[in-house]
Amino acid sequence: MAEGEPSYIDYEAFLDPDFSPASFANTLVLSTNNATDTPLDLSTPLSRVLFDLQEIDTHIHTLTTKSALPLLSHTRGQTEAAERILKEAGTQITSVTQGYERLEKEVVQKWKAADEARIAAENSLATVRLARAVGRCLTLGRQLESQVGEITGRGTGQPPTNGADGTPPVREGFRALERAAYTILNLRQMFSAETEDDEGYRLERVKVMRTLRNEFVIPAENMVKARAQQTINRFSLTSPMAPSNGHAPVPSSYKQVRDARARLGPAAATLYLLSPIPKDGATVSEYKPELLLSTLQGYMHTAIMTSANSLAKALSQLPTMDRTLNEVASRCQDVAALESFLRNLRAPTHPLLSSASGDGPVEETETAGSANKTNLLQPLLNALDTSSLPSYYWRSLASSLTSRVQEIISRGGVSARTLRSNRDRLKTEIKECVLRASQVSAASLLAEKGRHGTDNVSVGNWEREAAVMVSSVVGPLGR
């Protein structure tokens, strides 16, 4: 509607965004009828609406006729502008399409080829690493086979000959025990690799590696452990063939001491290295060589129980007491020698621990105080809750003898009467046995003193151990 042109049509009502046809019709009907009339007259409001529509249509026609040329000119201008924009856009689209095609040809296709090359290179690298790990495992396996041959005596081409004490000589591969343990640790580390950066990752997928591990490495490890445990269990400085004439055993020669130490060192280091490591890792100070400790504790338990059984039997047959006490003193000598050797053995470097100290089971030349920090004796003393192995030996032996003596006394008979009648003699002989054992231990290790220039064997004051032993046997006789 042109401005200033009168009209009775309410354009504002029709142009209102909230216009409602139903509301408008209801208002129109009520304005032309009485709400109480029946029926309603709808012709008047209908005529009003039709007239309004005709008026609006006429008005639109008039405006269109007057503005046809400007509308057509405006439309033509809009169309021409759109055509120009479309043309320019088409040119730009064509340019972008050509650029993308060139980019795809020069970059995308080359990137795809490079990505394929990268994948191939990564697979090739993984294959090379795996092949290198397989080759190293096979080399280690061959090395372990050679070391096992040295240990068992098959690698020398000659059957092993045993020494006077029934154990193979040192040259028959005892030095190969520790080398074999390090080889086993290297294989164990490769088989347990968990990340791609670790050597031996996914090594278990190779069949020959599974065969190597199951059919050779694990049996070889068990054999090395068994040989090391057997060496420690057989540790002794006195020959079982030495005659028993009622006196102290003959002191060990320098060669016997040297050979015993040469056997014990690699065996102890081997069990230290092959002991289980916690899954969450451990440092050297936290590491507990359970395999070594259990073997040494077993050795102590065997020595104590054997001595206890021998003494219990001798208490029932007093004529054999002298020979039995000499055997007990000999075992104490072995225990004292074991303590001395372990004190002079440093903990070997463990490749699977987070930090390590020491270059192997070499003898210490430092003071005893500094040696206790890294030697193989301290873990055993901590496990047994004692400060001395001979003291532990005598006190444990005494604790087990008291009940044996009480059994003999409770049974009565000739054995009980004999024990009571020889009470003073037993007291003297047992005390002399304990004191003689300390002297024997010192004498048998004089070679150590001559080698290092200092006496590493502390004889100490064993009067308390002698008193404990005497009390365990003689005490029940007076009750």
Side-chain angles (χ1 to χ4, degrees), residues 28-29 32-34 37-46:
L28 188 60
V29 171
T32 57
N33 288 273
N34 190 351
D37 293 343
T38 53
L40 294 176
D41 183 13
L42 298 179
S43 59
T44 301
L46 182 60

Coordinates of all heavy atoms in Angstrom, one line a residue, residues 28-29 32-34 37-46:
L28 N -14.5 -11.2 14.0 CA -15.3 -10.7 13.0 C -16.7 -11.1 13.1 O -17.7 -10.4 12.9 CB -14.7 -11.1 11.6 CG -15.4 -10.5 10.4 CD1 -15.2 -8.9 10.4 CD2 -14.7 -11.0 9.1
V29 N -16.9 -12.4 13.5 CA -18.3 -13.0 13.6 C -19.0 -12.3 14.8 O -20.2 -11.9 14.8 CB -18.2 -14.5 13.8 CG1 -19.6 -15.0 14.3 CG2 -17.8 -15.2 12.6
T32 N -20.4 -8.7 14.1 CA -21.5 -8.6 13.2 C -22.7 -9.4 13.6 O -23.8 -9.4 13.0 CB -21.1 -9.1 11.8 OG1 -20.6 -10.5 11.9 CG2 -20.0 -8.2 11.2
N33 N -22.7 -10.1 14.8 CA -23.8 -10.9 15.3 C -23.8 -10.8 16.8 O -22.9 -10.4 17.5 CB -23.6 -12.4 14.9 CG -23.8 -12.7 13.4 OD1 -24.9 -12.9 13.0 ND2 -22.7 -12.7 12.7
N34 N -25.0 -11.1 17.3 CA -25.2 -11.2 18.7 C -24.9 -12.6 19.1 O -25.4 -13.6 18.5 CB -26.7 -10.9 19.1 CG -26.9 -10.7 20.6 OD1 -26.0 -11.0 21.3 ND2 -28.0 -10.2 21.0
D37 N -27.8 -15.0 19.5 CA -28.7 -15.4 18.4 C -28.4 -16.8 17.9 O -27.3 -17.2 17.8 CB -28.5 -14.4 17.2 CG -29.0 -13.0 17.6 OD1 -29.8 -12.9 18.6 OD2 -28.6 -12.0 17.0
T38 N -29.5 -17.4 17.5 CA -29.4 -18.8 16.8 C -30.4 -18.8 15.7 O -31.6 -18.5 15.9 CB -29.7 -19.9 17.8 OG1 -31.0 -19.7 18.5 CG2 -28.6 -20.0 18.9
P39 N -30.1 -19.2 14.5 CA -28.7 -19.4 14.1 C -27.9 -18.1 13.9 O -28.6 -17.1 13.7 CB -28.8 -20.2 12.8 CG -30.1 -19.7 12.2 CD -31.0 -19.4 13.4
L40 N -26.6 -18.2 13.7 CA -25.8 -17.0 13.5 C -25.8 -16.7 12.0 O -25.9 -17.5 11.1 CB -24.3 -17.3 13.9 CG -24.0 -17.5 15.4 CD1 -22.6 -17.8 15.7 CD2 -24.4 -16.2 16.2
D41 N -25.7 -15.4 11.7 CA -25.6 -14.9 10.3 C -24.2 -14.8 9.9 O -23.5 -13.9 10.4 CB -26.4 -13.6 10.2 CG -26.4 -13.1 8.8 OD1 -26.1 -13.9 7.9 OD2 -26.7 -11.9 8.6
L42 N -23.7 -15.7 9.1 CA -22.3 -15.7 8.7 C -22.1 -15.1 7.3 O -20.9 -14.9 6.9 CB -21.8 -17.2 8.6 CG -21.8 -17.9 9.9 CD1 -21.2 -19.3 9.7 CD2 -21.0 -17.2 11.0
S43 N -23.2 -14.7 6.7 CA -23.0 -14.1 5.3 C -22.3 -12.7 5.4 O -21.5 -12.4 4.5 CB -24.4 -13.9 4.7 OG -25.2 -13.1 5.5
T44 N -22.6 -12.0 6.4 CA -22.0 -10.6 6.6 C -20.5 -10.7 6.8 O -19.7 -10.1 6.1 CB -22.7 -9.8 7.7 OG1 -24.1 -9.7 7.4 CG2 -22.1 -8.4 7.8
P45 N -20.1 -11.5 7.8 CA -18.6 -11.6 8.0 C -17.9 -12.2 6.8 O -16.8 -11.9 6.5 CB -18.4 -12.4 9.2 CG -19.7 -13.1 9.4 CD -20.8 -12.2 8.8
L46 N -18.6 -13.2 6.1 CA -17.9 -13.8 4.9 C -17.8 -12.8 3.8 O -16.7 -12.7 3.1 CB -18.8 -15.0 4.5 CG -18.2 -15.8 3.3 CD1 -16.8 -16.3 3.6 CD2 -19.2 -16.9 2.9

